[in-house]
Amino acid sequence: MKLLEIQNNMLEIAIMFDKFCTEHNLEYSICGGSLIGAVRHKGFVPWDDDFDVVMPRDDYDRFLKCWKEDNRFALIKVGDHNYYKPATPAKVYMKGTRVAEINELANGMPEFCPYGIFLDIFPVDEYPDNFLGNFCNKYIGKLVLAKSMSQFHLKNKGVVFRNLVKLLRLVPEKLVNSIRDAAINYVKQKASTTSKTFIGYGVETPFTNLKIDKSAMWPAKQEFVINDYIFKGPQSAETYLTCRYGNYMSLPPESMRFQHIVKVKHIDE
């Protein structure tokens, strides 16, 4: 399947997601490469093959509860059978498709992921700007991801990294999940009682290069165009993108311009 066709399918999922959120009064914002695409290219980044959105924690939790599958789209999330990609806590994907992503087979993972052409959904947490809040933001997601990756041989990774991750095979998954849940609850409770906070990717995600004021993110504005469709984005896209990417208007080196989906297959579900 060609990149343009993948992008068109992802756009179809994103339009459905936008309408679903509007119908259920759920807040969201495009983010990551999708926001760069809207700002810099007025569409997709030419080589990009994913679509990224974030939701405030409460809206993310409500989305998981009110989602209803239909004959075209399905939801897969952390905790579901065979889902090993906790770096993205939830995905909505196109039924009847499966994707193979770069380097996964070489690292011992299944050739095809347990989902198809997708939209990535990330929770966003409001953290107390103290030692524990910053610790939860920086390290809990890395622990969750490393525990999931420890089931694979990861031969394409460095020896030191592989051995450190292998040690986590000895740690019960229930313990890691308990630590994750306790950290999420701490952040929720503490952020509601302190005035000094920051917005960052959800506790369970390994991404730590976002630390901005809540007012720069929410409420989202409906003014970001991707291929003629208007999506919601941050109050200050400049603040978000500068924090995450620095000079986001400059193109990356050619060596960094590649797609992650290397194969798409169609199946009967």
Side-chain angles (χ1 to χ4, degrees), residues 58-73:
D58 288 345
D59 293 80
Y60 174 80
D61 290 343
R62 286 200 295 125
F63 169 78
L64 296 184
K65 289 179 180 177
C66 68
W67 169 260
K68 302 294 183 184
E69 290 190 11
D70 59 24
N71 61 350
R72 300 198 63 208
F73 307 107

Side-chain angles (χ1 to χ4, degrees), residues 2-190:
K2 294 182 179 179
L3 176 59
L4 180 59
E5 189 176 353
I6 292 173
Q7 290 177 339
N8 286 338
N9 286 339
M10 288 182 171
L11 182 64
E12 190 176 351
I13 302 170
I15 292 172
M16 177 280 302
F17 176 81
D18 171 74
K19 291 178 178 177
F20 184 92
C21 288
T22 299
E23 179 183 348
H24 291 85
N25 196 29
L26 297 170
E27 183 80 278
Y28 84 91
S29 167
I30 60 172
C31 67
S34 299
L35 184 59
I36 287 182
V39 172
R40 192 171 69 199
H41 302 275
K42 310 305 179 185
F44 281 91
V45 173
W47 54 88
D48 202 10
D49 58 357
D50 66 358
F51 202 107
D52 304 313
V53 300
V54 291
M55 306 181 79
R57 172 66 66 178
D58 288 345
D59 293 80
Y60 174 80
D61 290 343
R62 286 200 295 125
F63 169 78
L64 296 184
K65 289 179 180 177
C66 68
W67 169 260
K68 302 294 183 184
E69 290 190 11
D70 59 24
N71 61 350
R72 300 198 63 208
F73 307 107
L75 172 70
I76 191 168
K77 62 188 185 302
V78 170
D80 288 348
H81 180 62
N82 287 336
Y83 186 57
Y84 52 86
K85 302 291 286 289
T88 306
K91 294 174 181 278
V92 172
Y93 69 92
M94 187 166 285
K95 287 185 175 181
T97 63
R98 291 292 183 271
V99 296
E101 297 187 66
I102 194 167
N103 291 329
E104 298 213 337
L105 185 61
N107 280 314
M109 304 172 197
E111 180 179 11
F112 286 93
C113 300
Y115 51 82
I117 296 171
F118 57 86
L119 174 142
D120 287 333
I121 308 172
F122 302 91
V124 164
D125 281 316
E126 185 177 359
Y127 292 86
D129 196 2
N130 58 24
F131 173 80
L132 280 178
N134 281 276
F135 183 91
C136 290
N137 176 244
K138 290 181 179 179
Y139 298 111
I140 302 301
K142 291 182 173 64
L143 171 66
V144 171
L145 178 61
K147 174 59 182 174
S148 179
M149 294 298 99
S150 69
Q151 64 187 297
F152 306 113
H153 62 62
L154 303 178
K155 288 183 179 178
N156 271 16
K157 304 293 184 182
V159 174
V160 174
F161 176 84
R162 289 204 312 267
N163 289 332
L164 286 173
V165 170
K166 282 180 181 178
L167 288 175
L168 284 171
R169 294 177 183 174
L170 304 175
V171 179
E173 187 173 356
K174 284 186 177 181
L175 176 59
V176 174
N177 291 342
S178 295
I179 293 171
R180 175 201 65 202
D181 294 343
I184 291 173
N185 288 332
Y186 167 78
V187 166
K188 280 184 177 181
Q189 294 169 6
K190 194 68 177 178

Side-chain angles (χ1 to χ4, degrees), residues 188-215:
K188 280 184 177 181
Q189 294 169 6
K190 194 68 177 178
S192 65
T193 61
T194 182
S195 59
K196 193 176 181 183
T197 64
F198 66 91
I199 289 289
Y201 277 93
V203 168
E204 67 271 49
T205 70
F207 306 114
T208 60
N209 60 343
L210 179 64
K211 188 175 182 180
I212 59 176
D213 189 79
K214 182 179 180 180
S215 63

